[in-house]
Amino acid sequence: MAHIIDGKKIAAATRADIAERVAAFEKENGFKPGLAVIIVGENPASQVYVRNKKKACEDVGMYSVVIEMPEATTQDELMDKIEELKNASAIHGILVQLPLPAHLDEEAVIAAIPPEKDVDAFHAQNTGKIMIGDYDFLPCTPAGVMKMLEFEGVEVEGKECVVVGRSNIVGKPQAMLLLHKNGTVTICHSRTKNLAEVTRRADILVVAVGRADFITGDMIKPGAVVIDVGMNRREDGKLTGDVDFASAEKVAGMITPVPGGVGPMTITMLLENTLTAAKKYINK
Ligand code: GUN
């Protein structure tokens, strides 16, 4: 049976370390790092995520503000709010919770966030920097995955790494971070032929497709490290990942559960980025 990677434990250890650095920052500068989270509309999952982000900030001693805007918010109103936060001295990180209501232009919103306050690392300037390996902010979920691998002593160099999923938020940046650690990286997606053949080569398999039970035990190399980024809700309301845990844990060497795996790490890396943003503000 696989070793279960405990995301909650790794997140708690990392957050304790961040809390110490936040306290030192405040002592030195006389103010707290500050994060503003904008949520538009009433998507219930987004409301839970946003609440968790605010609580996580407060738990490590940061300032945080949640800006709730109605479903009917116009593009101009949202842009004005971002402009206001851009100039707010107490706010060092800005995050607009996605997805936005369909009438709003997500790309334009991401482009409007000043790169130095872009704690999601979604702005083209930051994604470009990730590509060349000279980054200010690491994208939260892929960075959380790397932190877990490091914590568990998983060496990436020279390993066959397979990323299933090619989103701008997870798949693509995940592949880059593994590449920067000298992994041999393959990205799979919906048009990949013989997916199981590719995934069975993986020493490290990262799955981010958003489909419950997409990867089963027979698609995993014995002893592989399996990281499940999926967060799907079953009909009975239970959270489940993209990997069929029951069959996968019999084959894998290490595996992340859902919930309690990657999820807690994502918010942890957002905290890290907010502290980085506050330090940038000081050094400007
Ligand atoms: N919605 C789901 N995940 C994320 C994330 O990491 N950042 C933002 N802004 N929205 C999300």
Side-chain angles (χ1 to χ4, degrees):
M1 285 294 218
H3 164 70
I4 313 267
I5 301 177
D6 185 346
K8 276 194 246 172
K9 183 181 85 181
I10 303 170
T14 311
R15 287 184 201 194
D17 172 64
I18 293 171
E20 279 180 23
R21 286 182 281 130
V22 168
F25 176 94
E26 187 179 4
K27 198 166 168 208
E28 193 176 333
N29 300 294
F31 63 88
K32 296 174 189 285
L35 174 71
V37 179
I38 302 178
I39 175 169
V40 185
E42 292 181 2
N43 179 319
S46 290
Q47 286 172 327
V48 173
Y49 293 142
V50 167
R51 215 177 304 138
N52 290 343
K53 286 170 184 174
K54 180 167 170 63
K55 181 171 185 306
C57 276
E58 286 161 4
D59 287 350
V60 297
M62 289 181 183
Y63 170 65
S64 104
V65 54
V66 173
I67 295 144
E68 293 174 311
M69 301 183 80
E71 182 82 24
T73 299
T74 65
Q75 186 79 20
D76 284 348
E77 285 167 341
L78 181 51
M79 291 299 207
D80 286 349
K81 181 53 78 178
I82 293 170
E83 186 64 27
E84 183 188 317
L85 295 169
K86 193 172 171 172
N87 301 316
S89 59
I91 299 299
H92 312 104
I94 304 172
L95 180 154
V96 179
Q97 187 65 28
L98 304 179
L100 288 169
H103 67 279
L104 296 172
D105 179 351
E106 225 161 74
E107 261 180 57
V109 168
I110 289 170
I113 295 172
E116 70 278 9
K117 293 192 177 186
D118 173 34
V119 285
D120 264 327
F122 289 172
H123 189 284
Q125 181 175 312
N126 287 321
T127 57
K129 282 193 152 189
I130 290 157
M131 176 79 99
I132 60 175
D134 163 29
Y135 20 67
D136 299 314
F137 301 113
L138 291 170
C140 300
T141 299
V145 170
M146 299 309 287
K147 193 93 188 169
M148 291 177 116
L149 294 176
E150 188 189 314
F151 190 94
E152 294 291 341
V154 176
E155 180 72 45
V156 175
E157 184 157 319
K159 295 283 172 62
E160 286 283 349
C161 305
V162 175
V163 179
V164 187
R166 56 172 157 183
S167 70
N168 288 333
I169 294 179
V170 183
K172 283 187 216 170
Q174 186 70 69
M176 283 302 138
L177 300 193
L178 290 163
L179 184 61
H180 294 156
K181 291 284 179 196
N182 300 317
T184 301
V185 183
T186 305
I187 306 178
C188 298
H189 46 78
S190 54
R191 307 287 168 87
T192 297
K193 294 201 175 113
N194 303 323
L195 176 68
E197 235 169 67
V198 184
T199 58
R200 272 197 294 266
R201 289 207 305 260
D203 300 310
I204 299 170
L205 180 63
V206 183
V207 190
V209 288
R211 280 172 62 181
D213 304 331
F214 187 72
I215 298 289
T216 45
D218 58 307
M219 301 167 78
I220 296 169
K221 176 175 172 175
V225 177
V226 178
I227 307 286
D228 187 352
V229 181
M231 188 83 95
N232 310 295
R233 207 164 281 278
R234 288 194 192 279
E235 276 173 20
D236 64 3
K238 274 200 183 136
L239 271 186
T240 188
D242 292 347
V243 176
D244 172 37
F245 190 85
S247 64
E249 75 165 335
K250 295 193 179 97
V251 187
M254 292 188 195
I255 187 167
T256 62
V258 177
V262 175
M265 293 305 296
T266 295
I267 294 187
T268 303
M269 300 324 282
L270 172 67
L271 301 173
E272 186 76 60
N273 283 349
T274 303
L275 179 56
T276 302
K279 288 182 177 167
K280 279 181 162 307
Y281 173 80
I282 291 293
N283 294 328
K284 211 167 61 175

